[in-house]
Amino acid sequence: QKEVEQNSGPLSVPEGAIASLNCTYSDRVSQSFFWYRQYSGKSPELIMSIYSNGDKEDGRFTAQLNKASQYVSLLIRDSQPSDSATYLCAVNGDNQGGKLIFGQGTELSVKP
Amino acid sequence: KAGVTQTPRYLIKTRGQQVTLSCSPISGHRSVSWYQQTPGQGLQFLFEYFSETQRNKGNFPGRFSGRQFSNSRSEMNVSTLELGDSALYLCASSPSHQNQPQHFGDGTRLSIL
């Protein structure tokens, strides 16, 4: 079992729709969770960080964390073609310092 | 505020050579982590430095090494290059070494011929 799992996609949504990206992790004591966006040929860009159960909203983005289910998700409201990218889920375990474990990423395509 | 700066952006080397990559973190950030990104394996953690000390290491052979200087700048070295070392090498910095968001540089694209 991979430590951090994501559906590879591609996930295709129409412009203006809600895109839902999911991630599960295996280390129950994981403490910190991050979503990165990576455009083709570019480096990952931090979108959201979440540390406690529940929802965290930032503009059109909402991160959701459920530690009991070992599940973290990212919702993108009013999706735009410029949101088309690969979204990477990253997990920082307990006492793991700066070691982030990344999922394989979900490719999102927003169609005009 | 300047972001994470990595040099060089592109490198072409041949098998058996060695290479040194450089990373300057965001001002005030003291933790620097290195990652390797390949199409097959995705993003994999190499190592992390904080206060000039290696705090964590990933599952890479000893050919991969690094160091951090007193100004938090970091270098990564790969010796005896193999074809499989072709990858995008990414450096990320954060204020401290635990549970902090990391910000990535543009990366160094290393190609081994």
Side-chain angles (χ1 to χ4, degrees):
Chain A
Q1 182 190 5
K2 291 183 181 178
E3 293 181 82
V4 179
E5 294 205 54
Q6 297 180 251
N7 291 330
S8 60
L11 173 66
S12 183
V13 300
E15 183 175 355
I18 296 175
S20 178
L21 304 162
N22 305 314
C23 172
T24 59
Y25 58 95
S26 60
D27 186 354
R28 186 168 292 277
V29 298
S30 296
Q31 296 290 316
S32 313
F33 307 86
F34 307 95
W35 283 99
Y36 287 84
R37 176 175 63 196
Q38 187 171 26
Y39 292 111
S40 180
K42 301 293 185 181
S43 64
E45 173 192 9
L46 179 69
I47 298 176
M48 296 279 288
S49 57
I50 187 165
Y51 302 93
S52 54
N53 283 328
D55 295 0
K56 180 182 178 182
E57 186 175 318
D58 184 0
R60 296 187 295 112
F61 299 97
T62 299
Q64 300 174 317
L65 175 62
N66 184 326
K67 288 187 177 181
S69 301
Q70 294 174 238
Y71 176 91
V72 58
S73 66
L74 179 70
L75 300 178
I76 306 175
R77 291 182 300 280
D78 188 22
S79 295
Q80 301 297 309
S82 59
D83 295 326
S84 298
T86 296
Y87 289 80
L88 297 160
C89 171
V91 176
N92 189 204
D94 189 31
N95 294 320
Q96 289 293 303
K99 180 180 180 180
L100 292 181
I101 305 298
F102 283 85
Q104 287 291 99
T106 297
E107 184 184 348
L108 173 66
S109 177
V110 181
K111 303 295 186 184
Chain B
K1 201 173 191 180
V4 178
T5 303
Q6 290 189 247
T7 56
R9 290 293 311 279
Y10 303 93
L11 266 178
I12 299 176
K13 293 286 186 180
T14 56
R15 282 182 298 173
Q17 288 187 308
Q18 75 165 19
V19 67
T20 299
L21 312 180
S22 180
C23 172
S24 293
I26 292 170
S27 178
H29 285 195
R30 297 171 61 197
S31 173
V32 173
S33 298
W34 289 89
Y35 296 85
Q36 182 196 65
Q37 187 173 32
T38 59
Q41 298 298 317
L43 264 163
Q44 292 188 289
F45 174 79
L46 280 157
F47 29 66
E48 181 212 3
Y49 287 87
F50 178 77
S51 293
E52 303 178 64
T53 302
Q54 187 180 89
R55 296 297 177 124
N56 217 325
K57 190 177 190 306
N59 295 324
F60 280 83
R63 301 185 296 107
F64 292 82
S65 63
R67 59 177 174 169
Q68 187 180 35
F69 302 95
S70 59
N71 62 357
S72 296
R73 190 178 72 85
S74 178
E75 287 182 347
M76 181 189 124
N77 185 76
V78 187
S79 62
T80 319
L81 287 165
E82 301 178 358
L83 292 177
D85 296 334
S86 294
L88 178 66
Y89 290 88
L90 291 159
C91 166
S93 76
S94 61
S96 68
H97 74 288
Q98 185 81 28
N99 296 328
Q100 297 271 311
Q102 296 181 16
H103 300 272
F104 284 86
D106 289 336
T108 295
R109 174 75 61 183
L110 176 62
S111 298
I112 312 300
L113 303 179

